[in-house]
Amino acid sequence: MMARLLPTLAVWAVLAMLPLLLGEWELAMFGQLLIYGIVAISLAFIWGQGGLVSFGQALFFGAGAYAMSLTAKGMLPGIPASPWLGLLFAIAAGAIFGALVGGALFFGKGLRTAYFGIITIAAAVIAERVTTNWRFIGGFNGLLDVPPLPLPGGLDSADPLAGYLLVLGFALLAFLFLLAVERSPYGTVLRGIRCDERRIMSLGFFVPIWKVVALALSGGVAGLAGGLFATQFNFVSPAVIGLALSTEILIWAAVGGKGVLMAAFIGAIVVKYMEGYLSETIGNYWLLVTGIAFIVVVVLFPQGLLGRLFKLPTPYRLRGD
Amino acid sequence: MTLFGLALDAMNYTSVLLLVCIGLVVIFGLMQVINLAHGEFFLLGAYTVLVAQGVGIPFWLAVPMAFVAVAIVGLLCDAVILRFIYDRPVDTILATWGLSLAIRQAIVIVFGAQSQQVAAPLTTPVELFGVSYSSYRLVVMLIAVLVALAVFLVLYRTSIGLAARAAMANRQMAQCLGINMRRLDRSTFSVGAGLAGLSGAVMAPLMSVDPQMGMGFVLPAFLSILVGGVGSPVGAIWGSVVIGGSTTLVSAWWTPVIAQIVVFLLAIVTIRFLPSGLSGLRKR
């Protein structure tokens, strides 16, 4: 039983050891990769557990990033310019956007899963257009000079070591949070909805509200990642909210494995790391390779490449014997 | 821009949108495949014309060539990718999404990311009820309407069309009645792809030909078929009239950017409240 836990524990141990092995520059880069990992697990949660394929996960990520930047730069009237408050708002913005999208789509007659995908694409395009043309939030250029998060001891998150450990801590928190939800009775209902919505409905669960909550939780975690992105990269631009990033998130989660949070997390880190490494050497061919790799994974490995490795044992509650 | 000119523009956009939609709606209705690579088939059609013109083939020969070339690409995609995932509808969205990324990037690698021009075969404007209008645009409308008509004739007046409509209504029952689904799926996907290629080919002289041009069409086309109602090919007409018309009108009023935002939002609201589209209205 413990053997099934080993890969997951090993990954966190290695991530915690990284500061001892890497230089400052690489550490900062890994910190950014962890942020992508967080948004990947937020998609894996809604997709793998709830069966909702969101082509617009960057919508929640971008909402978080913009909320963070606006608050931290003190652009919201009546609200103090505080980065930590900004991070809180980032989580809230992601969750609210998730709840709004879910609330608008899942109540009433409801929407078929396949249409949900198309509509999220349209929503991502709308969000990108709006942010590009909204002067107040920086328009096409976005917002620059987003301040880092201040830490005790006079440090802030712009320091490579402190920034890395901070992001790692949030990644672990996000992972444990979504894992706890996934393994709770609520998670079981969510997987039931994925398999057969009507059956869960007739068991007495009001399905729309469960789906809205799932989307809000996923949006909140994506918003957290967006907030961290804004503060670690020091800027936001419409590129963080649009279709291009949404597609990337989708590919990370699919390649890693949508059904297992840890697999999606590692999928994001590995794919993004390889992109940084390979796009210099093979240039334009990188996107072609990703596209083809994505098709191969979808057709041949629906559970992703790492899903089996990181699969955790079933909760005690659900074990038959 | 007079009102009449505006109406012509709206009809022009609508008819091309319809041409793109027909392929989508038949593929979706028959195979339950959401083909996100449809925009890239459009793109391939435009680039076929570009290449053909480059080697000196006349435009009007290049258009049917585009249809055939893209239909062959569609056949290949079906054989290599789609037939393995027919029974997993959500995965077809993802696989065709990957396909669209790969095709777009392949075009960037071969032709470069810059936009290119295709010379229009007709350049003299014509006088129409006091409005001077591009004669090529009128020809495009005519082609789109004729092709759409031909597709509807095949669907509603031939035995192949009957089989296809039977399969749309009830796939399993159609199979029990001895319709060869494998062959029907394959030819549907290939013809649908070919139609997208054809639309790309006729639109090439009117747009700047660049690797992103397909993206601008696939999303409005999808929203059109959802607004029109995916169950019926006729719904595609209603959908493209609504989406095409409103986009043209709003962009003339304000800007194309606002038009896109407004029309997409309206489409989402429509789909939300009428899951079976405008054609579902009559049945109630």
Side-chain angles (χ1 to χ4, degrees):
Chain A
M1 194 50 63
M2 275 308 285
R4 303 275 289 279
L5 276 172
L6 263 180
T8 307
L9 292 176
V11 166
W12 288 109
V14 168
L15 287 175
M17 303 286 270
L18 273 186
L20 302 176
L21 307 170
L22 298 177
E24 290 201 334
W25 187 83
E26 285 152 316
L27 204 56
M29 191 191 70
F30 262 90
Q32 293 164 359
L33 293 178
L34 291 180
I35 296 177
Y36 295 125
I38 300 176
V39 70
I41 58 173
S42 80
L43 177 66
F45 172 74
I46 191 76
W47 182 11
Q49 306 302 313
L52 295 164
V53 192
S54 159
F55 280 75
Q57 200 67 10
L59 186 61
F60 313 132
F61 182 83
Y66 272 100
M68 174 77 190
S69 313
L70 290 172
T71 319
K73 283 169 72 74
M75 290 169 72
L76 299 175
I79 290 167
S82 151
W84 281 103
L85 192 64
L87 199 61
L88 203 64
F89 281 4
I91 300 172
I96 290 171
F97 265 63
L100 282 179
V101 171
L105 296 179
F106 297 140
F107 283 101
K109 283 180 186 165
L111 209 64
R112 284 174 52 182
T113 323
Y115 298 0
F116 178 73
I118 307 270
I119 290 195
T120 51
I121 295 180
V125 172
I126 294 174
E128 196 172 351
R129 288 280 183 274
V130 169
T131 45
T132 312
N133 289 284
W134 191 354
R135 195 81 49 80
F136 174 64
I137 57 171
F140 180 74
N141 294 321
L143 297 167
L144 301 174
D145 304 322
V146 180
L149 290 163
L151 296 170
L155 282 170
D156 62 34
S157 62
D159 174 68
L161 178 62
Y164 176 80
L165 290 178
L166 184 79
V167 174
L168 182 64
F170 275 118
L172 185 59
L173 266 181
F175 169 71
L176 290 177
F177 171 67
L178 288 182
L179 192 70
V181 176
E182 181 189 315
R183 297 171 75 81
S184 72
Y186 171 75
T188 312
V189 175
L190 211 54
R191 282 189 294 281
I193 293 176
R194 181 193 65 197
C195 295
D196 191 335
E197 210 171 306
R198 230 181 303 169
R199 194 169 293 175
I200 294 298
M201 195 80 121
S202 38
L203 287 174
F205 295 99
F206 185 50
V207 168
I209 208 86
W210 293 73
K211 278 164 66 174
V212 171
V213 169
L215 202 56
L217 291 178
S218 160
V221 172
L224 167 73
L228 290 171
F229 176 95
T231 180
Q232 292 304 92
F233 282 77
N234 304 115
F235 79 99
V236 285
S237 71
V240 302
I241 210 167
L243 201 51
L245 181 64
S246 296
T247 307
E248 279 195 73
I249 301 171
L250 200 68
I251 292 178
W252 301 332
V255 169
K258 58 178 190 275
V260 181
L261 296 177
M262 202 58 206
F265 186 71
I266 297 299
I269 293 178
V270 170
V271 174
K272 199 66 189 173
Y273 182 76
M274 278 170 64
E275 179 182 334
Y277 193 69
L278 287 177
S279 58
E280 281 167 26
T281 44
I282 59 173
N284 272 335
Y285 288 87
W286 166 251
L287 261 177
L288 184 67
V289 173
T290 1
I292 293 172
F294 182 53
I295 301 174
V296 171
V297 167
V298 168
V299 175
L300 297 179
F301 307 97
Q303 293 313 313
L305 298 177
L306 302 170
R308 190 163 296 174
L309 181 61
F310 289 110
K311 195 165 172 53
L312 298 175
T314 352
Y316 276 115
R317 191 169 47 79
L318 296 175
R319 281 183 210 150
D321 42 303
Chain B
M1 178 65 73
T2 61
L3 209 58
F4 186 66
L6 202 60
L8 279 176
D9 273 354
M11 276 158 66
N12 181 50
Y13 184 51
T14 301
S15 54
V16 177
L17 204 54
L18 176 63
L19 209 53
V20 180
C21 284
I22 290 179
L24 273 184
V25 79
V26 176
I27 289 174
F28 184 69
L30 196 80
M31 306 161 66
Q32 297 292 308
V33 167
I34 291 196
N35 178 23
L36 286 179
H38 215 68
E40 275 58 41
F41 292 152
F42 181 92
L43 179 70
L44 285 175
Y47 273 89
T48 311
V49 173
L50 188 77
V51 172
Q53 270 195 342
V55 296
I57 296 171
F59 182 83
W60 296 118
L61 203 63
V63 171
M65 269 177 59
F67 177 82
V68 175
V70 181
I72 292 172
V73 172
L75 208 58
L76 280 176
C77 294
D78 179 75
V80 178
I81 304 169
L82 283 176
R83 71 189 168 101
F84 299 107
I85 48 175
Y86 277 150
D87 47 346
R88 294 185 267 154
V90 174
D91 283 354
T92 62
I93 311 183
L94 299 170
T96 52
W97 184 246
L99 187 63
S100 95
L101 287 180
I103 293 179
R104 211 180 317 147
Q105 199 56 30
I107 292 280
V108 170
I109 290 169
V110 176
F111 294 94
Q114 76 280 14
S115 74
Q116 315 198 35
Q117 291 297 324
V118 167
L122 296 167
T123 44
T124 44
V126 288
E127 199 77 17
L128 212 67
F129 302 104
V131 181
S132 171
Y133 202 73
S134 149
S135 54
Y136 182 67
R137 278 180 189 271
L138 293 176
V139 174
V140 169
M141 281 194 272
L142 191 71
I143 294 175
V145 170
L146 284 180
V147 171
L149 210 63
V151 172
F152 279 107
L153 278 180
V154 171
L155 269 179
Y156 286 92
R157 287 287 178 274
T158 66
S159 53
I160 302 172
L162 188 65
R165 280 184 297 134
M168 281 190 206
N170 189 335
R171 211 179 152 80
Q172 263 175 335
M173 183 54 85
Q175 213 154 9
C176 294
L177 292 173
I179 295 169
N180 185 340
M181 282 316 245
R182 218 23 240 113
R183 214 167 60 194
L184 195 61
D185 283 343
R186 203 181 321 158
S187 40
T188 307
F189 194 77
S190 153
V191 171
L195 286 175
L198 181 76
S199 356
V202 295
M203 277 308 276
L206 296 175
M207 302 171 70
S208 71
V209 178
D210 67 62
Q212 307 299 328
M213 69 188 290
M215 282 299 288
F217 264 92
V218 69
L219 207 49
F222 259 115
L223 293 175
S224 304
I225 67 167
L226 292 180
V227 165
V230 281
S232 80
V234 186
I237 300 180
W238 302 127
S240 38
V241 167
V242 170
I243 300 282
S246 56
T247 306
T248 319
L249 288 182
V250 182
S251 22
W253 222 303
W254 286 302
T255 64
V257 173
I258 294 183
Q260 199 178 25
I261 296 171
V262 169
V263 171
F264 281 14
L265 279 177
L266 277 180
I268 292 178
V269 171
T270 314
I271 297 162
R272 168 65 187 76
F273 288 102
L274 297 171
S276 45
L278 293 176
S279 35
L281 271 182
R282 264 180 316 171
K283 288 171 196 145
R284 280 202 303 191

